[in-house]
Amino acid sequence: MKYIQPLDTGGLVFNIQRYSLHDGPGIRTTVFLKGCPLRCAWCCNPESQGHYTELAYLIDKCIGCRRCVESCPFGAITIQPEGLHTDWSICNRECFDTQPEVFPCTLKCYSKARDRIGTRMTVDAVLREVMKDSQIYQESGGGLTVSGGEPMSQLAFVKALAQEAKKNWLNVAMETCGFASWEAYEEVLTDIDILFLDIKYYSSENHLRYTGKDNSLILGNAPKIAELMRRKGGVMIVRTPVIPGLTDPEDLAKIADFVCEKLPGVNTLELMPYHRLGRGKYGDMGREYNLQDLLPPSEEQLQPFRNVIVGRGLALKP
């Protein structure tokens, strides 16, 4: 795979979220890894996409001390009448390429308005954070969830983390878009108890249009992944986003038929309604969000999708 990191370099983590309630059963800790092969138009975590450390400017935290202006070696930050201005074309290219994973402006920012996204961590360091809530996992039936980005972009790290988690008797879940080699999934799924697989579109044309990648690899992997999880006694859940104007019940019906006919042991198709929580992150990173005016689906809009799932005898959620 193109983006696998050698294990001795650690994993590139952009968030560790404790007390998660929606990434598997019980109370869990979700470890978010950077790097994803897809570019979904509605992505709520743009900071997860790049396979490298990035910079964000959180303007609401800025106190205007201007130390970042002085510290930028390439003059990417300037003082304008409306306030501080960041030329992201210079920042993202010149500074990062010259000083990988080091941004001088973040070292000088008192208020943490300029923040580094992505920290390289060892398996042991991540597991120490996860194990802080080991008692809660035991009482709630929770555990560790590995998410992203796309965890399979850091295969060696995910495999080692899952193995160590199982040595500590943790339930391990993983969220994946399915866009990796079958051999890679064979290698890592041995230590995964619950797998959430995104099937965003059955239509290859729409998948390419709205995620940047064809879905043939994903649909080809899905039956083999389902069979492997069934044989090992694991759980696999398919997730599909509902994006108003970009997805429709007809495509979901094809996904539901695919689940029923091709995915042994899978009886849950979970809807992931669009939300707007990630919009502000794009501006923080100097990017444009193209769905600014899109609203989350109403209950009325969601009902036809639910009808499709129930009509085929599938469960809506775990």
Side-chain angles (χ1 to χ4, degrees):
M1 291 179 61
K2 183 177 180 182
Y3 296 115
I4 293 176
Q5 295 287 341
L7 183 57
D8 57 6
T9 67
L12 194 56
V13 180
F14 74 90
N15 190 22
I16 297 179
Q17 179 177 297
R18 298 167 67 186
Y19 310 116
S20 296
L21 299 174
H22 304 291
D23 301 323
I27 299 172
R28 313 183 71 83
T29 294
T30 303
V31 177
F32 294 89
L33 303 181
K34 273 181 68 61
C36 183
L38 305 186
R39 292 294 180 268
C40 300
W42 57 86
C43 180
C44 62
N45 288 323
E47 74 275 29
S48 75
Q49 295 174 356
H51 298 79
Y52 45 82
T53 301
E54 297 180 86
L55 177 71
Y57 173 43
L58 311 175
I59 191 170
D60 291 342
K61 290 186 176 183
C62 183
I63 59 174
C65 70
R66 302 184 180 183
R67 287 174 62 87
C68 57
V69 178
E70 304 165 3
S71 65
C72 179
F74 296 101
I77 307 169
T78 56
I79 302 171
Q80 303 294 332
E82 65 274 14
L84 295 178
H85 172 73
T86 302
D87 186 333
W88 289 100
S89 66
I90 297 175
C91 176
N92 280 342
R93 183 181 67 252
E94 300 287 355
C95 191
F96 181 83
D97 288 348
T98 304
Q99 302 182 66
E101 301 190 13
V102 176
F103 298 100
C105 61
T106 64
L107 303 177
K108 299 291 185 178
C109 184
Y110 292 136
S111 63
K112 303 299 181 184
R114 295 190 181 272
D115 193 21
R116 156 185 168 152
I117 302 175
T119 300
R120 203 161 290 284
M121 300 179 68
T122 64
V123 168
D124 286 344
V126 172
L127 201 58
R128 279 197 299 272
E129 289 296 310
V130 173
M131 291 303 294
K132 288 178 179 179
D133 295 319
S134 58
Q135 187 64 38
I136 294 177
Y137 308 146
Q138 293 178 24
E139 294 174 357
S140 69
L144 164 68
T145 298
V146 187
S147 187
E150 172 49 59
M152 297 300 289
S153 293
Q154 300 188 49
L155 172 61
F157 182 77
V158 170
K159 179 181 178 182
L161 178 61
Q163 288 176 337
E164 290 304 309
K166 296 308 295 180
K167 290 178 184 177
N168 286 272
W169 304 99
L170 291 182
N171 178 277
V172 182
M174 184 173 77
E175 300 175 337
T176 180
C177 70
F179 198 89
S181 71
W182 163 239
E183 292 75 18
Y185 281 108
E186 271 191 307
E187 193 170 341
V188 77
L189 289 179
T190 302
D191 297 297
I192 302 298
D193 300 296
I194 304 168
L195 187 77
F196 294 97
L197 174 67
D198 286 1
I199 300 182
K200 302 176 191 298
Y201 289 98
Y202 192 82
S203 163
S204 180
E205 179 183 353
N206 283 340
H207 200 282
L208 178 61
R209 177 184 302 160
Y210 297 122
T211 76
K213 297 289 185 182
D214 175 85
N215 66 354
S216 57
L217 179 61
I218 298 167
L219 296 181
N221 280 333
K224 292 182 283 189
I225 293 173
E227 176 60 23
L228 190 156
M229 293 298 291
R230 185 191 66 80
R231 289 202 315 266
K232 70 188 291 293
V235 175
M236 177 172 158
I237 296 168
V238 172
R239 286 174 163 175
T240 298
V242 178
I243 317 298
L246 304 188
T247 54
D248 59 64
E250 289 76 15
D251 192 78
L252 181 71
K254 294 178 181 178
I255 294 174
D257 290 339
F258 178 76
V259 171
C260 292
E261 298 168 9
K262 302 292 185 181
L263 306 188
V266 178
N267 56 21
T268 300
L269 178 51
E270 184 176 354
L271 299 178
M272 304 290 285
Y274 169 76
H275 61 75
R276 311 179 80 189
L277 299 179
R279 291 180 305 157
K281 298 179 183 180
Y282 285 81
D284 294 342
M285 303 179 71
R287 302 182 191 175
E288 183 179 355
Y289 185 58
N290 295 320
L291 302 179
Q292 282 287 353
D293 298 327
L294 188 64
L295 297 175
S298 65
E299 287 298 310
E300 184 178 358
Q301 289 174 306
L302 286 172
Q303 195 56 50
F305 293 91
R306 294 183 177 131
N307 291 342
V308 166
I309 295 173
V310 173
R312 282 158 175 77
L314 295 170
L316 276 165
K317 61 178 63 175

